[in-house]
Amino acid sequence: MFPSWISRFGAACGVVLGLSIGVPGLIEAFTGETALTSLVIGLGAAFGAPALTAFYLHQSESAGRFGAVAYAVNLIGLCLFSGVAFALNLVIFFLDAPVVAGLLAGPTRFALLTGVAVFAVGTVLFGISMVRARVFPRPAAWIYMLSLVALTALAQLPDTPLTSAVHVVACGVLVWMSASVWSAGAAGTAGAVRSGVPGAGGLRAGRP
């Protein structure tokens, strides 16, 4: 049994991840991409792995072997895509256009596309596992899958109102799922304390 703090930590990271995607996306609808919004998006990707882990643990008992495989593929893809997001927003964004063109004409472009592809496949698999497990609300599972895949497709394209809208939708579903995980973790901890389960804060039934 995993400690309850892992789920809460992951849920908190999910909220930070969502906000780091949605808030800059909303701002960029009016200002276009800026150094500050790029900084937030590029650094926010670091919160993806603990958030995904919390989502998986929340449904692991119902997701079965397919869910475990989907989580593994999505986790690897997410780590790769975090590197892509960091590179696009905190490195390539600040380079001159000719330098960027030369950089993407070489192996770097293949590496970026590979990371995007693995993340897209993993996201689809994990989304399917959530639909099958029926632990998260089904609309959340579908929106998670579709919005994050759309983000990968739009990552290397110029910013548009559609891009901003997808960012905001992805933010909403990540916060929604994180709230579900946090609520379940809080309910489980409270139940364990009331029933006096060993290890639940050192409390047992009948003790003051």
Side-chain angles (χ1 to χ4, degrees), residues 5-56:
W5 72 264
I6 294 179
S7 290
R8 292 190 178 187
F9 171 67
C13 288
V15 172
V16 175
L17 174 65
L19 293 176
S20 74
I21 294 172
V23 174
L26 183 61
I27 294 173
E28 288 175 356
F30 302 96
T31 66
E33 190 174 7
T34 67
L36 181 58
T37 57
S38 293
L39 175 68
V40 172
I41 293 174
L43 294 179
F47 295 90
L52 178 63
T53 299
F55 297 161
Y56 169 67

Side-chain angles (χ1 to χ4, degrees), residues 45-46 48-50 52 72-86 115 118-119:
L52 178 63
V73 177
N74 201 9
L75 181 62
I76 293 172
L78 178 60
C79 292
L80 291 172
F81 190 70
S82 296
V84 171
F86 186 92
V118 176
F119 176 64

Side-chain angles (χ1 to χ4, degrees), residues 143-164:
I143 295 171
Y144 171 92
M145 178 168 52
L146 296 176
S147 64
L148 293 189
V149 170
L151 277 182
T152 64
L154 298 171
Q156 300 183 64
L157 299 178
D159 292 313
T160 66
L162 175 61
T163 304
S164 296

